[in-house]
Amino acid sequence: MLERVFKIKEKGSTVRTEIVAGLTTFMTMAYIIALNPNMLTGFDTGSPLWNGIFLSTCIAPAIGMLFMAFYANKPFALGPGMGLNAFFASVATSVMAITGLTYLESYQACLCIIFIEGVVFLILSIFNIRDKIIDAIPLGIRLGISPGVGLLLMNIGFGSNAGLYSENGGPFYMMRDFFGSLTPNFARDSMGSAYPNMVLNVSIAFICLFIIVVLSIKGIKGAMLLGMLAGCILYWICDFAILGQNPFAVLNGVSWVPAFGDWASTTLFKLNFANFLDMGIITALTLILSFGIIDMFDTIGTVIGAASLGGMLDKDGNMPGMKETLTSDAIATIAGALTGNCTITTFVESSAGVQAGGRTGLTALVCGILFLACMFIAPVAALIPAAVTSAALVYVGILMVSALRNLDLTDMTQLVPAALMLITIPISSSIGNAIGIAMISFTVIKVFSGKAKEVHWLTYLVSLIFLVKFFLIVG
C-alpha cells in the first residue's frame, strides 16, 4: 500500500529510509514545539494562550504535512516560521498599544492577516501563479539558494541554537560567547554559572558532528539519526555524571493531557475580523503584503534548496510537483490561522530529512505523526539537547554549501547575486529578503550591461516589489 501511495521504489528510496528521514527531520525541528508558543506569548508558559498556541503548533504543521505527504508526495516538513513568529508577536504587541486591546484580542485580530495571506497563496498556487514567479528567478539565483540556506543552517547551529542563561544574563551562544571570547577565563567570567553547560554543549556538538561525518563516510544508512541518538545519550551521561544535573528533570510534574479547553477558548477559530479592521486598511494591507512576501520567497528558497540537496531538480533548476508542494504550504498557513498560529511554512530543517534519504511524502507523514504525538508527549521533545540539533544542522549546512560547484563562477550575473545571498541569508535569517536582494542585483547588472532584453518581465516585477518593500515607508 505504501508503495502504491508514495511510489517509494520509483523515487529510489525504501520504507526504512523514509521513516528514518522523517525521524531525522523531526529531531532537528522538535525545538519549535515549545519555542514557538514561548515566542508568541513572551515566554508566558502554562497560560491559556500558551497552551492554545502549543496545540496549534502540533496540529497545524501536521495538517500541512498530511497534504505534503498525500497530495504533493514530497519529503518536506512544515512548521511556524522562525522570524515570522517574532514579527507576528511584535505586530500583535503594536496593535495592542495602538488600539487598546488586550494582547489576546490583538493576537486574534492578527490571525486574520495570516488567514488572508494563506487564502491568497492558495489561489496563486492553484492557478500556477507562484510557479510562474519561481520561473522568473534566474538559474544562477536558484543555484545559489541551497548554499545560502546551508550557511543559514550552520549559523543557526553554531550561532543561535544553544542559548544559555545565568545570573549574568544571557542568552549565551557557542560562536559569539564561547569561541568569540578572547580567553577561556573571559568566557567563564562573562557566562558565570552557565559556563560548564556551555562547555558541555560545545563538546557534544562537535563530537556529534564528527560521529555523523564518520558514519556518513563509511556509508552507514541513517548516519545522521544514529549520530544524533549517540549525541543524546552522551549528553545525558555527561550532564548527570560531570555536571551533577538530571537531564530528565524536565519530565517532573508535567501534564501529559492536552489543554484542549484552553485551545478552544483562546485561538481555535478565534479570528477577530472586527478588531482586524480597526487597524486601518493601509496598515492591514501593508502587513499582509509584508508577511506574504517573506513567506512566499522563504518557502520557494527552502523548497529549491532542499530539492537541490536531494537531486530533485531538473537541468533547468525546476522541481516537478512544485504546484502541489506550494498548495500544501498554503493550506498549512490557513490551518495555522484557523487553529491560532503565525505563518506555517516549509521548514528549512527539511534538508536534514532529505539528506538522510527522504524522497517521498512518507518522510513528511512520519514527521507529521510525530508532531501530533507531541500533543501527548511534549516533554519528550524537550529531552533532545540543543547541542545535538546543532550538530545535525551544521552537517546538513556543510552539504548544502557544496552545491556552489554548480554555479558558473566566471559569469558575474550568477556570481554576484549568489555571493550576496551567501552573506545576506545567514545574517538576516530571511531567505525571502536575500532572494529579493539577489533579484534586484541581477536585474541591475543585466540592464546596465546592455542585456535588458534577457530579463524576464516577472523578474522586473519581483525586483520592483522588493524595492518597494525595502524602501517604501508607510505611515
Side-chain angles (χ1 to χ4, degrees), residues 221-338:
K221 292 186 179 295
M224 185 179 297
L225 182 58
L226 291 174
M228 292 178 72
L229 289 173
C232 286
I233 294 171
L234 187 58
Y235 180 93
W236 296 333
I237 292 173
C238 292
D239 197 29
F240 179 77
I242 298 176
L243 300 184
Q245 300 174 155
N246 179 7
F248 305 108
V250 293
L251 301 180
N252 295 334
V254 299
S255 173
W256 301 85
V257 180
F260 290 118
D262 287 344
W263 184 37
S265 66
T266 56
T267 64
L268 180 61
F269 302 127
K270 295 296 183 181
L271 285 71
N272 191 325
F273 281 95
N275 289 335
F276 167 70
L277 294 175
D278 288 341
M279 299 180 194
I281 298 298
I282 299 299
T283 300
L285 289 176
T286 301
L287 289 172
I288 292 170
L289 182 63
S290 296
F291 274 100
I293 290 175
I294 295 171
D295 179 29
M296 179 164 66
F297 286 95
D298 274 8
T299 298
I300 290 171
T302 298
V303 169
I304 291 177
S308 174
L309 179 65
M312 291 183 276
L313 300 181
D314 61 24
K315 61 182 177 61
D316 297 318
N318 298 314
M319 185 188 76
M322 182 64 81
K323 173 183 176 180
E324 292 79 6
T325 300
L326 296 178
T327 299
S328 300
D329 181 272
I331 290 172
T333 293
I334 295 173
L338 294 176

Side-chain angles (χ1 to χ4, degrees), residues 89-437:
S90 67
V91 169
T93 301
S94 298
V95 171
M96 177 180 67
I98 294 171
T99 61
L101 299 171
T102 65
Y103 184 77
L104 176 60
E105 292 169 335
S106 175
Y107 188 94
Q108 293 168 343
C110 290
L111 290 176
C112 300
I113 299 171
I114 307 304
F115 178 75
I116 295 171
E117 174 205 337
V119 171
V120 170
F121 277 178
L122 180 60
I123 295 171
L124 294 178
S125 300
I126 290 174
F127 289 99
N128 293 323
I129 297 175
R130 287 176 89 180
D131 274 20
K132 288 181 170 55
I133 294 174
I134 293 173
D135 290 340
I137 300 176
L139 177 61
I141 295 178
R142 293 188 218 179
L143 294 176
I145 289 173
S146 181
V149 172
L151 291 180
L152 173 62
L153 289 177
M154 295 172 70
N155 188 44
I156 293 172
F158 279 146
S160 61
N161 195 47
L164 300 176
Y165 294 83
S166 73
E167 70 284 355
N168 291 353
F172 301 107
Y173 297 115
M174 285 191 210
M175 196 55 61
R176 185 190 69 192
D177 300 295
F178 185 82
F179 291 108
S181 295
L182 295 175
T183 65
N185 286 343
F186 182 85
R188 181 196 60 196
D189 294 341
S190 62
M191 284 186 255
S193 60
Y195 181 72
N197 279 303
M198 178 60 76
V199 173
L200 177 60
N201 272 277
V202 171
S203 302
I204 296 299
F206 276 95
I207 291 172
C208 185
L209 173 62
F210 296 145
I211 291 174
I212 293 172
V213 170
V214 171
L215 291 177
S216 298
I217 291 174
K218 291 182 174 293
I220 296 176
K221 292 186 179 295
M224 185 179 297
L225 182 58
L226 291 174
M228 292 178 72
L229 289 173
C232 286
I233 294 171
L234 187 58
Y235 180 93
W236 296 333
I237 292 173
C238 292
D239 197 29
F240 179 77
I242 298 176
L243 300 184
Q245 300 174 155
N246 179 7
F248 305 108
V250 293
L251 301 180
N252 295 334
V254 299
S255 173
W256 301 85
V257 180
F260 290 118
D262 287 344
W263 184 37
S265 66
T266 56
T267 64
L268 180 61
F269 302 127
K270 295 296 183 181
L271 285 71
N272 191 325
F273 281 95
N275 289 335
F276 167 70
L277 294 175
D278 288 341
M279 299 180 194
I281 298 298
I282 299 299
T283 300
L285 289 176
T286 301
L287 289 172
I288 292 170
L289 182 63
S290 296
F291 274 100
I293 290 175
I294 295 171
D295 179 29
M296 179 164 66
F297 286 95
D298 274 8
T299 298
I300 290 171
T302 298
V303 169
I304 291 177
S308 174
L309 179 65
M312 291 183 276
L313 300 181
D314 61 24
K315 61 182 177 61
D316 297 318
N318 298 314
M319 185 188 76
M322 182 64 81
K323 173 183 176 180
E324 292 79 6
T325 300
L326 296 178
T327 299
S328 300
D329 181 272
I331 290 172
T333 293
I334 295 173
L338 294 176
T339 59
N341 225 310
C342 66
T343 303
I344 305 297
T345 185
T346 305
F347 237 57
V348 70
E349 282 84 353
S350 298
S351 300
V354 172
Q355 195 284 323
R359 296 294 181 273
T360 76
L362 182 55
T363 294
L365 177 61
V366 170
C367 191
I369 290 172
L370 291 171
F371 261 74
L372 287 176
C374 278
M375 290 191 297
F376 305 94
I377 58 171
V380 174
L383 291 177
I384 303 173
V388 171
T389 305
S390 292
L393 294 178
V394 170
Y395 175 67
V396 174
I398 292 170
L399 295 179
M400 297 185 79
V401 169
S402 68
L404 281 171
R405 66 183 182 276
N406 298 319
L407 277 169
D408 182 359
L409 300 180
T410 64
D411 181 353
M412 294 299 285
T413 62
Q414 287 195 27
L415 178 59
V416 173
L420 290 174
M421 282 196 296
L422 287 176
I423 191 67
T424 53
I425 288 179
I427 290 178
S428 70
S429 296
S430 173
I431 302 170
N433 285 343
I435 291 176
I437 293 171

